[in-house]
Amino acid sequence: HNSKWNQYFDQLIEVEMPPKKLKKLQKWCKSQRKQYRRLVKRGKSKKLNRYQVLAMQKIGFKWIEQGKEATLSNSSETIPRKWSKRLKEFEQYNENIKNAMPSSTKLLKWIASQRKHYRKLLKRKVSKHLSWYQVDILNEYRFPWILWKEEENAP
């Protein structure tokens, strides 16, 4: 399974955007998105592990197909102040501590709520509390959408 995954991943890196002509690659990308949704919703996937997710995020893979997002345009969207404040806290935490648990209860609750709203967003494609624009911002900070068990999916 991993060698086939690596083969498609290498093809994905070679092209900037999956051209419509590469049907197999498109099908694989669709499958990865489906496995990712399963991973976020259930916390596990037999076909996609944490290292593969991180590799995909590193190359800027979009987990939501273009045109399927339900959001306001980036330039006109307003971000709530409270959300921006927590994002700044998360950014500072992320830069300084990386793998340790945040010490702020408010930040821990905010992280948990972002995960919850993200799962809703994946199901319904729209949420009152989290937009695709905010998801893109969080992805830039490598937000941990999935709670990984330490021993799970080790290389």
Side-chain angles (χ1 to χ4, degrees), residues 7-141:
Q7 179 185 355
Y8 279 111
F9 181 74
D10 290 343
Q11 285 179 16
L12 189 63
I13 292 171
E14 288 174 24
V15 293
E16 286 187 50
M17 249 186 252
K20 293 192 182 223
K21 293 176 186 171
L22 297 173
K23 292 287 183 193
K24 283 186 177 185
L25 184 57
Q26 278 188 315
K27 188 176 176 181
W28 180 80
C29 288
K30 189 173 185 174
S31 167
Q32 298 309 296
R33 289 181 178 107
K34 183 179 179 180
Q35 290 303 316
Y36 182 74
R37 283 191 304 274
R38 187 172 288 156
L39 194 55
V40 170
K41 288 175 190 174
R42 299 183 189 149
K44 60 183 175 182
S45 168
K46 292 178 183 172
K47 297 181 180 179
L48 190 65
N49 65 45
R50 90 187 317 180
Y51 303 101
Q52 292 167 330
V53 168
L54 292 172
M56 299 285 277
Q57 287 175 333
K58 195 171 186 173
I59 65 163
F61 186 80
K62 298 286 183 191
W63 294 109
I64 307 302
E65 272 184 272
Q66 282 186 325
K68 296 211 175 174
E69 311 94 333
T71 186
L72 303 169
S73 70
N74 295 0
S75 58
S76 66
E77 183 154 350
T78 57
I79 303 291
R81 248 187 229 149
K82 190 176 177 181
W83 192 90
S84 294
K85 184 181 175 185
R86 293 288 171 261
L87 177 65
K88 235 181 192 46
E89 285 178 35
F90 177 75
E91 182 183 5
Q92 290 169 345
Y93 150 76
N94 213 19
E95 284 175 6
N96 298 325
I97 304 175
K98 303 232 185 229
N99 294 324
M101 288 284 265
S103 57
S104 162
T105 308
K106 286 181 180 179
L107 184 57
L108 279 169
K109 286 180 180 179
W110 182 78
I111 290 170
S113 74
Q114 298 312 294
R115 288 183 180 129
K116 183 180 95 177
H117 296 310
Y118 185 59
R119 285 190 296 272
K120 287 181 181 179
L121 197 57
L122 285 172
K123 282 182 190 173
R124 300 188 193 113
K125 296 192 176 139
V126 69
S127 167
K128 293 178 186 175
H129 305 286
L130 187 68
S131 69
W132 291 114
Y133 178 55
Q134 288 168 301
V135 168
D136 284 344
I137 292 169
L138 290 168
N139 283 338
E140 286 177 26
Y141 293 101

